[in-house]
């Protein structure tokens, strides 16, 4: 699942991450300015799937203060090795009910809540642990079959239902537009997400604070920022192409 790197490879990866991070920070600053914001209004979350912990921790040393894993098993394997003193760990992938227990009290936010059932399980286990878990509601903005996320028309109802649960707090929305969408279509999906975000914010539901609009990945994070995103999840552009290694 994860790469094992020689020392020489590691040094090269460290160097690449430094260069890539500079470019990403510049792009973020430029897009933020175009959106009438400052760079500090935009949070970069490093998407760390398949990335060795040494490389992740190097990016944290360089100032990355949000990281996100999308598989529970991989998060479990890496958990003890992350340097999380100055960095928040988020969960950003599809989450099964029976895996929730591994995340409660460990992650600062679960970005991928898309059903009342999942929210209820997060609520139940958080109460048991005496913590409150911050979540984003994931929207299937392209209405793709077989994809995670609540359908847009069911979003208001989900917001209401989750707002009534104890020990869980809705902090915003997350979306991944269809992979095959054109640049214009992607922009329209982002703009629609921003509209939902603003609409829900204006409703001022108890226990719901629309602080985070999480959208945009390596290919489209500047577009997402232009459309209102304040949290972008970047993997490949920071760490290079993912190398999946079979487990023995
Ligand atoms: C992998 C991943 C990303 C980052 O994707 P890149 O295209 O590599 O930047 C963002 N969000 C989620 C949920 C992911 O799983």
């Amino acid at each position: 699942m994860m790469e094992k790197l020689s020392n020489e490879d590691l040094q090269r990866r460290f160097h690449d991450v430094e260069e890539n991070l500079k470019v990403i920070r510049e792009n973020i600053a430029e897009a933020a300015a175009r959106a009438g914001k400052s760079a500090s209004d935009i949070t970069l979350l490093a998407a760390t799937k398949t990335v060795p912990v040494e490389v992740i921790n190097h990016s944290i040393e360089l100032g990355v203060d949000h990281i996100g894993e999308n598989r529970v098993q991989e998060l479990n394997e890496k958990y003890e090795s992350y340097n999380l003193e100055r960095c928040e760990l988020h969960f950003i992938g599809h989450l099964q009910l029976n895996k929730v227990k591994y995340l409660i009290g460990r992650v600062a936010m679960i970005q991928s809540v898309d059903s009342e059932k999942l929210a209820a399980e997060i609520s139940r286990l958080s109460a048991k642990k005496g913590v409150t878990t911050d979540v984003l509601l994931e929207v299937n903005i392209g209405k793709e079959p077989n994809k995670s996320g609540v359908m847009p028309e069911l979003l208001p109802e989900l917001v209401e239902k989750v707002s009534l649960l104890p020990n869980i707090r809705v902090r915003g929305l997350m979306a991944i537009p269809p992979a095959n969408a054109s640049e214009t279509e992607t922009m329209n999906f982002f703009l629609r997400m921003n509209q939902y975000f603003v609409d829900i914010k204006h409703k001022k539901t108890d226990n719901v604070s629309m602080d985070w609009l999480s959208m945009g990945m390596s290919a489209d994070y500047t577009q997402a920022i232009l459309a209102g995103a304040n949290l972008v999840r970047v993997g490949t552009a920071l760490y290079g192409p993912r190398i999946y290694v079979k487990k023995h």
Side-chain angles (χ1 to χ4, degrees):
M1 182 181 279
M2 275 171 280
E3 302 169 71
K4 278 270 172 272
L5 294 174
S6 70
N7 205 23
E8 195 179 310
D9 284 342
L10 261 187
Q11 293 309 319
R12 194 170 35 78
R13 289 288 293 270
F14 286 180
H15 177 78
D16 289 349
V17 168
E18 284 169 35
E19 296 297 312
N20 292 341
L21 186 59
K22 267 185 224 158
V23 173
I24 293 166
R25 292 240 184 264
E26 282 167 18
N27 290 341
I28 287 175
E30 197 175 303
R34 284 174 67 196
K37 295 176 179 173
S38 78
S40 62
D41 295 327
I42 312 297
T43 295
L44 169 66
L45 178 142
T48 50
K49 58 177 170 276
T50 78
V51 179
V53 173
E54 297 94 323
V55 179
I56 298 171
N57 284 343
H58 186 70
S59 58
I60 293 172
E61 274 172 41
L62 297 172
V64 168
D65 53 10
H66 289 70
I67 60 172
E69 289 288 352
N70 75 327
R71 288 194 187 84
V72 173
Q73 191 191 331
E74 185 172 344
L75 183 146
N76 280 343
E77 286 169 10
K78 291 158 139 182
Y79 185 75
E80 296 300 332
S81 311
Y82 299 122
N83 180 2
L84 295 177
E85 267 168 57
R86 287 172 289 112
C87 184
E88 280 189 12
L89 172 63
H90 290 198
F91 188 75
I92 62 176
H94 179 67
L95 182 55
Q96 292 168 316
L97 290 180
N98 62 348
K99 301 270 175 73
V100 173
K101 58 176 179 275
Y102 298 110
L103 301 183
I104 302 305
R106 278 178 145 186
V107 300
M109 186 138 68
I110 299 173
Q111 295 203 5
S112 44
V113 172
D114 60 359
S115 72
E116 192 189 359
K117 243 186 182 169
L118 179 56
E121 183 64 357
I122 293 169
S123 166
R124 185 180 75 84
L125 292 176
S126 299
K128 211 169 137 188
K129 274 218 159 170
V131 298
T132 294
T133 303
D134 284 348
V135 304
L136 304 183
L137 301 181
E138 181 178 353
V139 182
N140 185 349
I141 189 63
K143 299 192 180 194
E144 296 171 274
N146 309 320
K147 187 152 166 183
S148 308
V150 62
M151 288 295 169
E153 58 272 23
L154 300 177
L155 176 61
E157 189 185 328
L158 183 61
V159 172
E160 288 293 325
K161 286 187 165 154
V162 180
S163 75
L164 300 174
L165 297 170
N167 299 78
I168 181 171
R169 194 164 46 195
V170 176
R171 299 289 308 277
L173 303 178
M174 188 269 252
I176 308 171
N180 58 0
S182 72
E183 206 170 306
T184 312
E185 286 167 341
T186 301
M187 193 60 184
N188 286 332
F189 287 128
F190 286 153
L191 289 168
R192 210 170 301 159
M193 279 302 298
N194 187 244
Q195 195 56 54
Y196 296 136
F197 182 75
V198 170
D199 287 348
I200 296 168
K201 194 178 222 167
H202 286 163
K203 275 194 197 158
K204 296 193 193 303
T205 310
D206 276 352
N207 212 20
V208 173
S209 53
M210 285 287 124
D211 300 317
W212 298 108
L213 181 55
S214 172
M215 55 187 194
M217 315 200 297
S218 289
D220 52 23
Y221 63 94
T222 56
Q223 278 181 288
I225 292 167
L226 290 177
N230 61 359
L231 203 168
V232 293
R233 308 177 311 270
V234 178
T236 317
L238 179 60
Y239 296 116
R242 282 183 280 277
I243 301 164
Y244 289 91
V245 177
K246 277 211 190 104
K247 287 198 120 181
H248 300 290

